[in-house]
Amino acid sequence: MKNFVEELKWRGMIQDIMPGTEEKLMEGPQAAYVGIDPTADSLHIGHLVSIMILKHFQQCGHKPIALIGGATGMIGDPSMKSQERKLLDEETLKHNIEGIRAQLSKILDFDSDAPNKAELVNNYEWMKGYSFLNFIRDIGKHITVNYMMAKDSVKKRLSDESREGMSFTEFSYQLLQGYDYLWLYEHKGCRLQLGGSDQWGNITTGTELIRRILGKTDAFALTCPQVRKDREG
């Protein structure tokens, strides 16, 4: 096994990392995931670095999980956005998911007999039967509104810079993403979530849910720098 964290460090691909992450990965093969909301039928430049680190994760002997947000894609992540994202219908989401799945299969090894072959999951599968009342009773009670409002993605949308404000739909996004991590922790043995630096708040909400609900402290987070387009003027 190669040291995954060291591999990313010399490449300049780490923005934030939770203490203990490197030590956990050196214990032996681990599972980690990256979440991708199917807002289009193709991956875009914003996905590039997080998909690259998932590829490096597999090359270092670990198991990558690509999570397609069939459920969260219906809501829209407010992180670093100035206005609410257009909500997509099920047919459009299904079409987009198929396109992304085909592209990911060219980057990650899903089909070999390797013990760390990649796995593709869709959070719609575990959210579709979860009622709103059960979700807010079982999950929502563990994270305070104060905790959620302290996240940069929320503060920016509620600041004077934003005229749009934030709908309850968007506000609930970090709780849903946090639940994804909790579900994968319990059902897939996933101990690490990877993503772009704009996802740090959402990812740490997941580690906090795992701590508060399961009493576990071995869920970790690592983010990479975002690819930013230079602007003139």
Side-chain angles (χ1 to χ4, degrees):
M1 277 181 55
K2 292 172 63 178
N3 187 315
F4 173 66
V5 173
E6 284 297 323
E7 182 69 19
L8 296 191
K9 280 181 179 177
W10 80 265
R11 294 175 180 274
M13 297 178 73
I14 295 180
Q15 180 75 29
D16 301 291
I17 183 169
M18 188 173 287
T21 300
E22 184 172 4
E23 291 78 5
K24 181 65 179 179
L25 294 176
M26 294 308 294
E27 291 177 6
Q30 304 292 335
Y33 87 97
V34 166
I36 303 167
D37 279 347
T39 53
D41 59 4
S42 173
L43 297 169
H44 55 71
I45 191 65
H47 295 122
L48 176 63
V49 183
S50 59
I51 297 301
M52 286 173 62
I53 63 175
L54 203 59
K55 177 67 172 178
H56 285 300
F57 191 72
Q58 187 171 39
Q59 290 178 331
C60 287
H62 302 287
K63 180 181 179 65
I65 299 173
L67 183 149
I68 304 296
T72 43
M74 293 181 176
I75 294 175
D77 181 5
S79 298
M80 305 308 147
K81 296 177 179 66
S82 60
Q83 59 184 4
E84 187 165 0
R85 194 164 68 190
K86 180 181 178 182
L87 303 184
L88 303 177
D89 58 54
E90 282 193 52
E91 193 60 35
T92 301
L93 282 167
K94 183 178 179 181
H95 169 77
N96 291 351
I97 288 169
E98 290 304 316
I100 292 172
R101 180 185 286 116
Q103 290 179 326
L104 286 173
S105 66
K106 297 179 181 179
I107 302 170
L108 300 171
D109 172 20
F110 288 96
D111 302 316
S112 76
D113 295 327
N116 68 324
K117 70 177 182 180
E119 186 172 355
L120 189 75
V121 296
N122 183 345
N123 61 13
Y124 183 71
E125 294 304 312
W126 56 82
M127 288 304 304
K128 63 184 178 183
Y130 209 160
S131 75
F132 175 74
L133 288 177
N134 285 338
F135 184 81
I136 59 174
R137 183 191 64 187
D138 299 340
I139 306 302
K141 69 179 181 180
H142 293 283
I143 299 293
T144 67
V145 171
N146 289 3
Y147 179 89
M148 296 174 72
M149 290 185 69
K151 301 295 184 179
D152 288 341
S153 60
V154 175
K155 287 194 292 186
K156 181 179 179 182
R157 289 294 298 276
L158 297 179
S159 71
D160 293 336
E161 299 176 13
S162 175
R163 298 180 180 179
E164 297 291 328
M166 175 181 282
S167 69
F168 176 77
T169 302
E170 281 188 297
F171 185 64
S172 66
Y173 185 95
Q174 67 169 282
L175 202 55
L176 289 169
Q177 183 171 327
Y179 179 67
D180 285 343
Y181 197 173
L182 174 67
W183 193 94
L184 290 171
Y185 182 100
E186 290 190 284
H187 295 87
K188 300 292 183 180
C190 184
R191 297 296 183 267
L192 175 63
Q193 184 178 170
L194 308 167
S197 57
D198 63 319
Q199 293 300 305
W200 183 253
N202 292 334
I203 294 173
T204 52
T205 296
T207 63
E208 186 67 9
L209 266 179
I210 291 166
R211 185 185 69 82
R212 294 188 182 192
I213 294 177
L214 302 179
K216 302 293 185 179
T217 58
D218 61 340
F220 298 94
L222 185 154
T223 65
C224 54
Q226 290 182 278
V227 176
R228 296 189 180 278
K229 182 181 178 181
D230 291 334
R231 297 181 179 180
E232 297 180 0

